[in-house]
Amino acid sequence: MITVETKKELVKSYGASDADTGSPSVQIALLTERIKMLSGHLGTHKKDYSSMRGMMKLIGRRRTLLKSLQK
């Protein structure tokens, strides 16, 4: 789980303002942080298939946001 402090730092560094949580760059940064945490968890628990599926869904959502941001 992402801590509140980490989330605030990501919003501050990638958002236009401190309350800008909906912009694609902030959403991509938050998804990347969650993916990093899940990949560390899956390194320890290799047979946790439900978490693996959730991580794959997050990767797909991030990929979609990156494609729309690239256009």
Side-chain angles (χ1 to χ4, degrees), residues 34-53:
R34 285 180 64 190
I35 290 168
K36 284 180 188 176
M37 292 179 67
L38 273 174
S39 65
H41 169 78
L42 289 172
T44 307
H45 309 313
K46 294 184 183 352
K47 294 189 178 184
D48 190 0
Y49 297 116
S50 60
S51 293
M52 189 180 302
R53 182 176 186 268

Side-chain angles (χ1 to χ4, degrees), residues 23-33 61-62 65-66 69:
S23 66
S25 59
V26 174
Q27 289 182 16
I28 291 168
L30 291 173
L31 285 172
T32 303
E33 189 66 28
R61 191 182 312 161
R62 182 179 67 173
L65 284 170
L66 282 170
L69 189 64

Side-chain angles (χ1 to χ4, degrees), residues 9 12 16 46 61 63 70:
E9 289 175 13
K12 189 179 288 187
K46 294 184 183 352
R61 191 182 312 161
R63 184 179 302 135
Q70 188 178 18

